[in-house]
Amino acid sequence: MDNQIGISIAALPYSFKSFEGVLLFHEYPTTVVFQDIEGDPIIREWVDYSEQTKTDRFFYYRTDLTLLKKYISGNLPHKDLINQSKDGFVIFEDVKENQKYYSIASVKAIPIDYLPNADYYFDIDEGVHLQKIITHFNLDSILLSDIELFEAKEISIAQSSETLYVHFKKGKGIGFGTANTEVLARTLLKFDKFYKETALDFKLGTQRGDIQLSAKKNEEYLSCTTTEVYGNIAASYAVLIRPVHATQFNMFEKSDSEIISSHIFSLINNSTDVEDLKKEYNRHSDFVIKSYKAFVEEIYTSELKISLSWFSPESESEFNDEIDYIKANRIKTNLENLSIEEEEQFSIKGKFRSLNCDTAHFSFIGTSGEKFTGFIDDLIKEGSERINFISIYEITILRKITKEAGKQESKIKDILLAFIIEQ
């Protein structure tokens, strides 16, 4: 056992009102809960025993009802419950032959051996007097999601910003107010890609080609595809994201951000049931589905639990959903086992890039930079010899899309049905 930690004091600086029960464990009570006269929970942790001096060592700390609720709900690691001590300090108690000795120290001075692992969360099966503690402190009345979402909405209102609220509740490297840089960056980048592809669907339609946003000719789409992080909340770890370009609100119309977000949440909400997913799948391009699958796979790989919300301080519209790695695995399986065939016909203007009159293969670049490749229909194959690479054409394409079970991407087959030169 280490020597005394911190500064000696004569007695505990708490005025206890009652002992409320044991949190951990059945075999030996290591974590117990008291209440002080102000109504705050006081927690005592057993941390060490010296056989040589016959001394048990404990430390006490004050917490609040919200943090206690987060801990017993599995949303806050045990280590973070301690580190978020309401006073910023702990009181050590050494008990030897009915004698008690006290000292006070900063939470930062607690030896690492006395702290739980960073990824240790409360397990309900290990609780002893859990229901008694919940009832006494009326913890069921504390709705954590409401508290955190209210705080996010207050920031959104103050900033007059439509907001995507991404709350990392659990996962590898996720703690109270902290997040592993790599896990956070990977997840946000994949969500950003998902958002961008959904925005491009909104602007160009699901039959669009691939769009490179880095190209100068596509700068016009940056206003609806670019977002920024503008705030964070220590609720495990949460970030607030908004469109970079401020939305011009119209009380009679939905903003671009609201429409894009509604499409995102519609896909998430309808992904866990295969039949719902089949209906939803046709409303999105393959670029969106691919980016969504990458986002879901990141949640699965990093064993995350994420809640997503979008809200507007102007329209007061709101979307919500939650994905953990178990749900992510189910979504991933549904996407991989989806089997859909469909056809759609559309027209596009642009220029031919290449044409092989023998094989009937063509490539075409739309005026917005979209690329289309495929084969010319047999009925117009002979007339295709008149095509040049200078004039602007309006072409009609029949697109056949096949999503096969187990395949990561759809098979897209474009057939050129007609072409008309623009005069």
Side-chain angles (χ1 to χ4, degrees):
M1 180 181 291
D2 294 335
N3 294 328
Q4 175 185 296
I5 301 169
I7 302 170
S8 293
I9 56 176
L12 280 169
Y14 304 122
S15 298
F16 290 112
K17 179 181 179 181
S18 57
F19 168 75
E20 295 307 328
V22 177
L23 265 183
L24 300 170
F25 289 93
H26 291 279
E27 299 82 2
Y28 185 82
T30 62
T31 303
V32 301
V33 182
F34 302 86
Q35 184 183 35
D36 67 7
I37 59 174
E38 296 176 357
D40 288 327
I42 304 292
I43 298 180
R44 186 188 72 189
E45 309 276 2
W46 175 85
V47 291
D48 203 356
Y49 175 74
S50 171
E51 181 66 37
Q52 183 178 2
T53 62
K54 308 297 182 184
T55 301
D56 278 293
R57 174 167 288 175
F58 307 84
F59 67 74
Y60 296 78
Y61 56 97
R62 189 199 313 266
T63 188
D64 62 37
L65 298 182
T66 299
L67 288 174
L68 182 59
K69 173 64 178 284
K70 287 182 178 181
Y71 172 60
I72 65 173
S73 300
N75 292 314
L76 183 71
H78 197 157
K79 183 177 180 180
D80 286 344
L81 177 68
I82 297 168
N83 287 335
Q84 295 298 315
S85 162
K86 193 171 181 179
D87 304 307
F89 61 75
V90 296
I91 306 298
F92 281 93
E93 177 185 68
D94 288 351
V95 181
K96 178 182 179 182
E97 297 176 352
N98 296 323
Q99 295 294 316
K100 297 181 179 181
Y101 307 89
Y102 298 102
S103 63
I104 184 171
S106 165
V107 291
K108 296 180 180 178
I110 302 173
I112 192 169
D113 292 345
Y114 290 177
L115 292 171
N117 291 333
D119 59 352
Y120 175 75
Y121 290 81
F122 181 74
D123 185 341
I124 192 171
D125 293 331
E126 296 171 342
V128 182
H129 303 134
L130 178 60
Q131 192 55 52
K132 179 178 181 293
I133 293 168
I134 290 173
T135 301
H136 176 79
F137 289 106
N138 196 22
L139 296 181
D140 283 337
S141 67
I142 300 175
L143 301 178
L144 298 178
S145 57
D146 288 352
I147 293 172
E148 293 153 357
L149 199 56
F150 176 79
E151 185 178 349
K153 287 180 179 178
E154 288 292 291
I155 296 172
S156 174
I157 292 169
Q159 297 287 330
S160 297
S161 295
E162 293 180 313
T163 299
L164 270 164
Y165 177 62
V166 185
H167 180 186
F168 293 77
K169 292 185 172 181
K170 282 186 182 181
K172 296 178 180 177
I174 303 300
F176 185 78
T178 63
N180 177 276
T181 304
E182 185 177 355
V183 171
L184 179 66
R186 283 200 314 260
T187 308
L188 289 181
L189 282 172
K190 288 177 181 178
F191 180 78
D192 182 63
K193 179 67 172 175
F194 179 27
Y195 185 92
K196 281 178 165 56
E197 296 294 355
T198 305
L200 289 171
D201 269 17
F202 165 62
K203 284 295 184 182
L204 300 170
T206 58
Q207 75 277 9
R208 66 181 176 88
D210 190 14
I211 299 292
Q212 299 301 316
L213 289 171
S214 57
K216 189 172 181 61
K217 61 186 175 183
N218 295 322
E219 285 182 349
E220 63 181 289
Y221 303 121
L222 295 178
S223 62
C224 74
T225 60
T226 307
T227 60
E228 64 183 4
V229 173
Y230 79 99
N232 68 285
I233 296 173
S236 289
Y237 194 83
V239 296
L240 284 73
I241 299 171
R242 65 183 175 191
V244 167
H245 297 273
T247 301
Q248 298 298 316
F249 292 106
N250 185 320
M251 64 183 297
F252 301 109
E253 296 179 2
K254 294 180 180 179
S255 68
D256 288 358
S257 174
E258 180 171 348
I259 295 171
I260 293 165
S261 298
S262 71
H263 292 176
I264 287 173
F265 281 89
S266 180
L267 179 55
I268 295 173
N269 293 338
N270 291 305
S271 294
T272 53
D273 181 82
V274 174
E275 293 306 314
D276 289 341
L277 181 57
K278 284 182 179 179
K279 297 173 186 176
E280 183 68 32
Y281 180 86
N282 295 326
R283 301 170 186 165
H284 307 272
S285 71
D286 195 56
F287 304 106
V288 168
I289 299 298
K290 183 179 179 181
S291 62
Y292 174 50
K293 187 167 182 288
F295 172 59
V296 168
E297 285 177 338
E298 182 59 42
I299 293 173
Y300 174 77
T301 301
S302 297
E303 299 177 15
L304 297 173
K305 182 178 183 181
I306 294 179
S307 67
L308 297 162
S309 300
W310 179 93
F311 38 83
S312 167
E314 295 292 331
S315 70
E316 298 184 355
S317 297
E318 185 173 336
F319 311 116
N320 299 284
D321 210 323
E322 184 173 274
I323 308 177
D324 61 12
Y325 70 98
I326 297 173
K327 182 176 177 180
N329 182 55
R330 188 159 65 250
I331 293 171
K332 205 161 67 80
T333 300
N334 288 345
L335 288 169
E336 290 170 351
N337 289 288
L338 200 63
S339 183
I340 295 175
E341 294 184 358
E342 65 171 347
E343 290 185 354
E344 59 183 358
Q345 188 172 304
F346 58 92
S347 297
I348 193 83
K349 291 182 180 181
K351 293 182 179 182
F352 283 93
R353 176 60 62 86
S354 66
L355 175 66
N356 188 314
C357 294
D358 294 326
T359 63
H361 184 269
F362 76 92
S363 65
F364 189 85
I365 306 295
T367 54
S368 297
E370 303 137 285
K371 298 178 182 179
F372 300 89
T373 60
F375 292 90
I376 301 171
D377 186 74
D378 289 340
L379 294 176
I380 63 167
K381 183 177 178 182
E382 291 186 6
S384 65
E385 296 175 356
R386 304 192 309 270
I387 291 174
N388 65 67
F389 305 111
I390 299 175
S391 301
I392 296 175
Y393 288 84
E394 180 176 1
I395 64 172
T396 301
I397 288 178
L398 174 65
R399 172 166 287 179
K400 295 184 178 182
I401 303 173
T402 304
K403 178 67 180 74
E404 296 180 354
K407 300 293 184 181
Q408 292 188 1
E409 298 182 14
S410 300
K411 288 184 178 180
I412 298 176
K413 182 180 180 181
D414 287 343
I415 301 172
L416 181 63
L417 298 180
F419 57 91
I420 302 173
I421 193 168
E422 291 282 294
Q423 300 297 330

